[in-house]
Amino acid sequence: MGSIPLQRDIVQRPGTTAASTGHEPVARTSLPGNLLAPSAARRFVAAALAEWSGLGLPAAVGFSDRLSDDAAVVVSELVTNAVIHAGTNVELLFRLEEATEDEASALVLEVSDHHPARAVRSERTEGDAGPESPAGPEPAEYGRGLALVATLAERWGITYRTGLKTVWARLPVDDWNPFADARPEPGFQQGLRAAELLAPTARRALRDDADWAGRGALSFLAEASDLLAGQLDEDIVAALAGQLLVPRLADWCAIWLEPESGGRAAVPRLAKVWHIDETRTDPLRTLLEGDPLRLPERVGTGPVSIPWPGSAEDGAVPDGSDGVALAYRITSGGRTLGAVLVGREGIARVPDEVTALIEDFVRRVGLAVGAARAYTRQATISRILQRGLLPSKVAEIPGVASSLVYEPSDDGVVGGDFYDIFPCPGDRWCFVLGDVQGSGPEAAVVTGLARPWLRLLAREGFQVGEVLVRLNRLLLDDAMEAAEAAALMVAAAGGQQSADSGPRFLSLLYGELVPLPGGGARCTLASAGHPLPLLLRPDGTVRAAAEPQLLLGVVDDAVYESQSFDLAPGDSLLCVTDGVTERRSGPVMFDDGDGLAQALAGCTGLSAEGIAERINQAVHSFAERPPDDDLALLVLQAQ
């Protein structure tokens, strides 16, 4: 997942004054609602603690390894709970409250999800007195979440807002309070209770299979569907499936996945092994790796009895126990994608209601694996196609430094942005920045035709305006027809046609540079429905370098004019696509109020590479979420 950036804020605690408490550091981030979120949250909290320690904050004196571990455990449990029971993106806020005369310093964790209708669950056994009471039976092995949070936290609670549910926990900073006369001993009993909760049990004492015949089965399948839906990696699907099966329905499970292609000769891959006793997971994996599971074609999707692993090998099973092992075929769209093997120890038969429930669950696993593979295929094709639509390298222009940033949106489909820099006869160098409306195969067809057409027209000696006139006619004839054919092919193949299918308009910035004998270059350019290029002078002044004109592919008799000017040494020309200008933070766009021009004015004195990096950074930091559109920018700086 990579590193999670800290967004730093300075806040004031409600009900206090700056004089009494000073400013408090806050770190916040947004995490995806999938299996990777808990580990990312732990890394985020660790990074925040390290940063606050480095700042020399007074309360940081009380930071300890125990406090760091407690914070990591609490945030992991709260994020896991949000992912499993809400299934939405998770907002994480982590703040350090400085000490007051009434309270010691504390770390406060807030984990919010966007499904307030889903209750927060502790997964404790029936009859439990609740997360804040020591009475009642112990929580199930897989349900330590809120009971553990209640044990480690000084206080915790749940807040509901419109469209948002927040679970918060307050951890004292080792009872450190500079206003107190003495520091009390750390919460030793609290640590003992946490260790007791975390200690693994040998196995679940009882599993009430009768519960699965009613609401328990429906609730389990609903939650499993929510959690598996939308996962884009088959290995994550397998990992989630293992955690959902064990220990709810089995003591251990193993999941094999068939290769994407390869036929019967290919060997299934053991993707995941999960055991209720973690110390037995690796021995079980070693045992199963030597005997890949592949069910005969005549076997349906129902359970198939399999010999207990290692039963033919003396001492192969870690504790010598045995039980019932059942295998299920993973299918999707009539194709076999793998198999699931589940085991329950110490019994002779699994109740029919449980085997039927596992069969329903495996069917959902098959749908999730099939969807993940379809996405992977589409993303792979898109990446290959995208590389083919863009130049392998751009030309270097004598006397002009250039820097290019291109970031396609990570949505698994071909984007519409493209670029090019190439030489032409007559000591000319041409540059292009374009954006086809929409994405997918239809947009790729237009991109695949527009770029070579531009090179051909430019090398034939046509002037800048005439190149756009001719390209416009070609787009209205051949490109749009080809895009419509691509859309029909997608629909015929059972794919989903783009929601914005229709005419494929093209916004384009096209220009040419002719180096001047005394340095710099003569620039001639035209903008067809594209964000206007900006010219930065060495004195910090910024102006638009072109006039707005009609999009390409709209009117067949459109006429395009060009503008010419000298790019003197030290001058910089910034060209961008609408992924920059229309970058949103709520209702506000990056270029509102000439935001791009202001950002460029702050780049005075920087190199072409420095300007590109500065503008790209400004675009990314403009909003918390990553850009959801292709982003391309080109800087040309005369030397």
Side-chain angles (χ1 to χ4, degrees):
M1 186 170 195
S3 61
I4 305 295
L6 295 180
Q7 177 181 330
R8 302 168 183 83
D9 294 308
I10 299 296
V11 300
Q12 208 172 298
R13 192 185 315 169
T16 62
T17 64
S20 63
T21 64
H23 289 152
E24 297 173 347
V26 171
R28 69 181 78 215
T29 190
S30 179
L31 302 170
N34 60 32
L35 186 66
L36 301 177
S39 61
R42 292 193 295 271
R43 293 197 303 271
F44 180 82
V45 166
L49 290 173
E51 180 171 309
W52 295 341
S53 296
L55 293 175
L57 299 173
V61 175
F63 288 179
S64 65
D65 291 341
R66 183 188 67 82
L67 179 64
S68 300
D69 292 342
D70 287 355
V73 169
V74 169
V75 75
S76 184
E77 295 296 335
L78 292 182
V79 170
T80 299
N81 207 323
V83 168
I84 292 177
H85 297 302
T88 69
N89 284 353
V90 178
E91 313 300 329
L92 170 59
L93 183 144
F94 187 36
R95 73 174 183 268
L96 172 61
E97 290 186 351
E98 296 286 357
T100 67
E101 294 183 1
D102 299 323
E103 288 190 305
S105 298
L107 299 175
V108 178
L109 286 157
E110 297 182 8
V111 175
S112 303
D113 63 67
H114 299 275
H115 201 323
R118 288 284 177 88
V120 176
R121 306 190 182 185
S122 63
E123 297 286 350
R124 303 189 74 168
T125 55
E126 186 176 356
D128 193 352
E132 295 188 13
S133 171
E138 289 301 314
E141 175 69 21
Y142 60 96
R144 307 227 178 250
L146 294 183
L148 184 58
V149 172
T151 300
L152 295 177
E154 177 189 58
R155 295 194 297 271
W156 73 280
I158 306 170
T159 302
Y160 291 89
R161 304 182 185 90
T162 302
L164 202 69
K165 176 175 81 268
T166 300
V167 185
W168 58 269
R170 189 176 191 274
L171 305 174
V173 181
D174 284 347
D175 299 322
W176 186 75
N177 190 340
F179 298 96
D181 294 332
R183 293 179 59 187
E185 292 296 321
F188 181 67
Q189 294 299 326
Q190 190 179 63
L192 286 179
R193 176 62 177 154
E196 179 184 344
L197 286 171
L198 285 171
T201 57
R203 56 173 296 152
R204 298 181 64 188
L206 291 173
R207 184 185 280 112
D208 190 355
D209 290 326
D211 286 347
W212 293 112
R215 292 184 178 180
L218 296 177
S219 176
F220 170 73
L221 290 175
E223 292 184 6
S225 296
D226 287 346
L227 191 57
L228 294 173
Q231 299 298 335
L232 304 179
D233 187 301
E234 62 180 53
D235 287 323
I236 292 181
V237 172
L240 287 171
Q243 293 182 67
L244 288 166
L245 283 171
V246 178
R248 291 171 176 85
L249 299 174
D251 293 310
W252 56 265
C253 77
I255 300 174
W256 283 265
L257 294 176
E258 295 280 351
E260 182 72 18
S261 60
R264 296 293 300 173
V267 178
R269 174 175 62 92
L270 184 57
K272 186 64 183 178
V273 176
W274 202 270
H275 201 292
I276 192 172
D277 182 356
E278 292 184 3
T279 63
R280 297 169 60 188
T281 299
D282 288 340
L284 179 61
R285 171 179 285 276
T286 301
L287 181 65
L288 295 174
E289 281 178 336
D291 188 17
L293 177 62
R294 172 175 275 168
L295 298 175
E297 290 292 343
R298 64 179 181 276
V299 173
T301 59
V304 178
S305 182
I306 299 292
W308 189 259
S311 57
E313 303 175 25
D314 186 26
V317 179
D319 62 356
S321 63
D322 59 5
V324 177
L326 300 174
Y328 295 80
R329 182 195 302 278
I330 302 175
T331 64
S332 178
R335 294 184 57 196
T336 297
L337 303 181
V340 174
L341 179 63
V342 296
R344 299 184 72 168
E345 299 174 353
I347 62 173
R349 179 179 177 275
V350 178
D352 292 342
E353 59 268 21
V354 175
T355 60
L357 177 60
I358 297 176
E359 182 178 351
D360 281 345
F361 172 76
V362 173
R363 187 177 295 112
R364 286 160 171 77
V365 172
L367 294 174
V369 171
R373 289 191 170 184
Y375 173 84
T376 300
R377 287 193 298 270
Q378 177 65 45
T380 301
I381 293 171
S382 294
R383 285 192 293 269
I384 295 172
L385 185 56
Q386 192 82 60
R387 286 196 296 267
L389 295 176
L390 298 174
S392 57
K393 64 178 182 179
V394 296
E396 295 184 5
I397 306 172
V400 177
S402 64
S403 183
L404 177 71
V405 174
Y406 176 69
E407 296 179 358
S409 60
D410 188 18
D411 57 5
V413 298
V414 179
D417 287 12
F418 66 96
Y419 60 86
D420 203 356
I421 301 177
F422 55 92
C424 284
D427 199 26
R428 296 179 298 133
W429 274 261
C430 298
F431 59 94
V432 180
L433 206 58
D435 184 4
V436 180
Q437 175 206 6
S439 58
E442 304 100 307
V445 167
V446 178
T447 302
L449 293 174
R451 194 171 67 86
W453 278 345
L454 274 167
R455 286 196 171 207
L456 178 63
L457 292 170
R459 288 169 175 169
E460 286 295 317
F462 292 105
Q463 299 299 313
V464 170
E466 186 61 24
V467 167
L468 295 188
V469 170
R470 292 176 178 268
L471 179 60
N472 181 60
R473 293 172 185 165
L474 289 168
L475 285 171
L476 285 167
D477 295 337
D478 298 342
M480 299 312 172
E481 187 176 316
E484 291 175 6
L488 292 174
M489 290 177 64
V490 171
Q496 184 174 2
Q497 197 168 353
S498 300
D500 58 350
S501 60
R504 291 286 156 178
F505 306 130
L506 171 64
S507 76
L508 189 76
L509 177 67
Y510 169 67
E512 62 179 34
L513 293 171
V514 178
L516 298 174
R522 182 67 175 174
C523 180
T524 303
L525 51 74
S527 175
H530 202 79
L532 298 180
L534 298 178
L535 179 63
L536 172 65
R537 300 290 189 186
D539 61 1
T541 59
V542 177
R543 70 170 180 86
E547 297 293 333
Q549 299 181 82
L550 190 65
L551 281 165
L552 298 171
V554 178
V555 180
D556 59 1
D557 58 352
V559 176
Y560 295 91
E561 303 291 339
S562 62
Q563 289 81 43
S564 297
F565 57 91
D566 287 342
L567 200 62
D571 288 348
S572 301
L573 185 68
L574 172 64
C575 312
V576 303
T577 60
D578 61 10
V580 173
T581 56
E582 297 180 6
R583 167 82 157 124
R584 285 189 173 274
S585 177
V588 182
M589 292 193 296
F590 182 75
D591 198 33
D592 285 350
D594 294 328
L596 180 59
Q598 294 177 24
L600 181 59
C603 298
T604 305
L606 296 180
S607 64
E609 184 176 354
I611 294 174
E613 183 178 346
R614 177 77 63 86
I615 298 298
N616 187 40
Q617 183 179 12
V619 172
H620 277 270
S621 61
F622 184 69
E624 291 186 16
R625 296 184 180 276
D628 56 3
D629 192 9
D630 297 341
L631 184 154
L633 63 90
L634 171 66
V635 178
L636 300 170
Q637 187 176 77
Q639 302 297 298

